[in-house]
Amino acid sequence: MAIRLGDEAPDFTAQTTEGEIKFHEWLGNSWGVLFSHPKDYTPVCTTELGMAARLKPEFDGRGVKIIGLSVDPLESHKGWEKDIEETQGTAVNFPMIADADRKVSDLYDMIHPNANDTLTVRSVYVIGPDKKVKLMLTYPASTGRNFDELLRVIDSLQLTANYNVATPVNWKDGDDCVISPAISNEDAKAKFPAGWKEIKPYLRITPQPNKVRGEGRAA
Ligand code: BEZ
């Protein structure tokens, strides 16, 4: 059955470049990003894995564990990782699932037969500490993903999990937010001491709550 936002992320046991993992146990209380690559030893995937490795400190800082997947065996992943280190200037510093039997790819519906019946598409699943799916992205094999966008969405997800705000078009961390329409002006007075600008009753702009003096980054 198709996975939808809000569903529990399916659990699995898999072989990875960092040993066998039980997915939910490996996630623990962290946020998680599970992302698939069509195939080992391919150019776009090589650049994506290099970028993900370089951005690992950014994911760590947000309490997010990242894990890649492709439908090739472990030995192939290990050989490819040497190339990634050589060409991208950084070693892969997160586990890669060896999904040669496509168990995880099938579980997460990562093979779209009308696009390609053997390789995965470029899927991204962001999973919350409650193990629920918070974001799904699906890119074709020919288009590398934008990992800055992924971090941007994680910032939004973590902010909106903790405050009654939503993030407007092209928002990035530190920008103004919109107050959730479900919050009355009366309740907003207590929740948003920095105030807000009411453009329409349903469009109220407020400074990002965890950037207002005295607040830290949302956990
Ligand atoms: C790539 O990662 O470069 C790629 C993989 C599969 C098909 C096309 C491109």
Side-chain angles (χ1 to χ4, degrees), residues 12-155:
F12 56 82
T13 300
Q15 296 303 321
T16 82
T17 49
E18 297 187 4
E20 183 180 282
I21 65 148
K22 293 181 180 10
F23 188 51
H24 281 196
E25 197 178 283
W26 176 80
L27 282 170
N29 296 321
S30 299
W31 288 72
V33 173
L34 168 64
F35 59 113
S36 60
H37 294 275
K39 197 166 175 48
D40 291 2
Y41 294 102
T42 48
V44 178
C45 298
T46 299
T47 61
E48 286 191 323
L49 286 177
M51 180 56 75
R54 278 194 295 283
L55 289 175
K56 175 89 172 355
E58 294 289 333
F59 289 104
D60 288 345
R62 289 162 172 82
V64 182
K65 290 184 171 179
I66 60 175
I67 186 164
L69 171 152
S70 90
V71 290
D72 284 308
L74 206 51
E75 285 316 306
S76 167
H77 283 5
K78 288 186 175 164
W80 183 32
E81 288 194 351
K82 288 189 192 136
D83 284 3
I84 294 167
E85 182 168 7
E86 180 191 325
T87 62
Q88 305 302 303
T90 179
V92 177
N93 46 15
F94 52 85
M96 281 285 293
I97 297 168
D99 195 38
D101 62 3
R102 305 193 209 165
K103 193 176 85 179
V104 181
S105 313
D106 286 341
L107 196 59
Y108 277 81
D109 202 21
M110 290 166 164
I111 295 179
H112 296 195
N114 291 329
N116 188 301
D117 57 8
T118 54
L119 309 180
T120 65
V121 291
R122 294 185 197 282
S123 297
V124 183
Y125 288 88
V126 176
I127 298 154
D130 57 0
K131 311 286 184 299
K132 299 276 169 56
V133 175
K134 308 294 182 187
L135 172 82
M136 299 185 295
L137 294 172
T138 308
Y139 277 54
S142 52
T143 304
R145 287 159 286 205
N146 184 328
F147 280 71
D148 290 334
E149 167 62 2
L150 185 53
L151 288 167
R152 188 193 76 87
V153 181
I154 289 168
D155 284 340

